[in-house]
Amino acid sequence: MMTANLHRLPRNKRLFVWLCLATGVALLAIAPCAALAAVSLMAMGAERSVGASVLFWTIWTFPIVLVAGPGLAWIAYGLRRERTALGLSLSPMAWAAAIGAWFSLFS
């Protein structure tokens, strides 16, 4: 019985290009997201509602997700976990969709 040598299999070049683009976009988005996080302190205001707290913590953790998502995706790519790498590289988009849905529902 023959076993496949995983170290000899070619890596997915499209995924490599996608990870490079996702990492570049994430690095470019860190500065505006950090500025948005700094301004989100005003969302809390004097009223400490649950909705304002959720918005505050979602916006504050978004720069962390921008760094952690592509970083963990590169680790998964190195371990040849291609689906996991793709999912982790898309994780900032889920966070952005949650923030966008929040603004569209409550503004």
Side-chain angles (χ1 to χ4, degrees), residues 50-71:
V50 173
S53 297
V54 169
L55 176 66
F56 172 77
W57 286 109
T58 304
I59 290 175
W60 261 88
T61 55
F62 188 54
I64 297 168
V65 172
L66 279 174
V67 172

Side-chain angles (χ1 to χ4, degrees), residues 13-28:
K13 292 185 191 287
R14 289 183 192 159
L15 181 60
F16 178 78
V17 170
W18 169 255
L19 286 176
C20 289
L21 290 173
T23 304
V25 169
L27 290 175
L28 290 174

